[in-house]
Amino acid sequence: MDFDDQLRRYFGTDDLATIAPTTLETGIDRMRVDFGMEKDKGRRFALWTLMYMFGASPDLDVAFENEDERNTARDFMDMMDKAAEG
């Protein structure tokens, strides 16, 4: 999953600065639906990370069935926190 492709798919643009608030809301809703329907673990994780970056990800215990997946998500969260600090 390419980040720019996902932005175009859910928000109609790959330029974050041009996403209107209503478009953002609609795109996040579409991501949530797709996340709930997605069976492929890699695609689910990619959708979760995108939702996380927009502050709209479901809680880890809801999003991921097993502890390994939750730990991977925690690692991603830590990596994003460190990137924001640096």
Side-chain angles (χ1 to χ4, degrees), residues 35 41-50 52 57-61 63-82:
F35 181 80
K41 289 181 181 186
R43 291 181 62 81
R44 276 182 59 82
F45 186 77
L47 282 169
W48 181 86
T49 60
L50 188 57
Y52 178 80
S57 61
D59 291 336
L60 298 180
D61 60 334
F64 302 108
E65 291 182 7
N66 69 53
E67 191 62 28
D68 288 340
E69 292 172 330
R70 290 188 290 271
N71 285 336
T72 301
R74 285 184 192 99
D75 290 344
F76 175 80
M77 294 164 64
D78 290 343
M79 181 180 69
M80 293 302 293
D81 288 345
K82 287 179 184 173

Side-chain angles (χ1 to χ4, degrees), residues 10-12 16 18-31:
Y10 293 109
F11 306 111
L16 290 172
T18 64
I19 300 173
T22 55
T23 303
L24 180 64
E25 207 172 299
T26 301
I28 288 171
D29 287 342
R30 289 181 59 215
M31 279 191 287

